């Protein structure tokens, strides 16, 4: 390799590395990818994403979203009695929006008539981490918290 090629290669590498360092130190962030959560069928509609996104609006939104998600997951038909209790464990601001942890517990029973067999379903205590920005809602598994009381 001749000297000119070597110097060009080294120079390109230095520029590339310095560009990476500049982006890292400038505090640039990668926004959440736009998208939404697949929502189960049932009588409850997906809640509207909050606008503006703030700690309080995200707290209300994720609690309502998870409640409706669990409700629809347990719901069998119009004869179903669904009981769900949810709480928001935390809401923290991130560079791209807010991250919240929600915990829910619930159950459902369905009985069409007094002589029919009762169908029963449990939603044991489960926690999910939500990531919410202006155009994105993500729902990720989280370590389960204490039961909702």
């Amino acid at each position: 390799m001749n000297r000119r090629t070597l110097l060009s290669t080294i120079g390109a590498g230095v520029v590339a590395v310095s560009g990476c360092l500049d982006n890292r130190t400038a505090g640039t962030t990668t926004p959440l990818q736009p998208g939404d959560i697949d929502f189960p069928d049932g009588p409850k509609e997906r809640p509207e994403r909050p606008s503006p996104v703030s700690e309080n609006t995200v707290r209300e939104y994720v609690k309502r979203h998870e409640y409706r998600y669990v409700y629809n997951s347990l719901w069998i038909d119009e004869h179903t009695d669904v009981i769900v209790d949810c709480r928001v464990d935390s809401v923290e601001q991130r560079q791209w929006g807010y991250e919240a942890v929600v915990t829910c517990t619930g159950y459902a029973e369905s009985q069409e008539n007094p002589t029919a067999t009762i169908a029963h379903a449990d939603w044991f205590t489960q926690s999910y981490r939500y990531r919410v920005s202006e155009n994105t809602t993500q729902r990720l598994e989280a370590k389960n918290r204490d039961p909702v009381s």
Side-chain angles (χ1 to χ4, degrees), residues 46-66:
R46 175 194 318 265
E48 292 292 321
R49 185 175 289 114
S51 182
V53 174
S54 69
E55 183 177 347
N56 289 333
T57 60
V58 167
R59 179 177 297 279
E60 293 172 20
Y61 169 68
V62 297
K63 186 175 183 180
R64 185 176 302 118
H65 192 285
E66 188 64 11

Side-chain angles (χ1 to χ4, degrees), residues 70-91:
V70 172
Y71 190 101
N72 284 359
S73 295
L74 289 170
W75 187 78
I76 299 166
D77 58 26
E78 64 276 0
H79 303 288
T80 307
D81 225 1
V82 179
I83 306 298
V84 178
D85 194 11
C86 298
R87 71 163 186 266
V88 178
D89 295 317
S90 64
V91 178

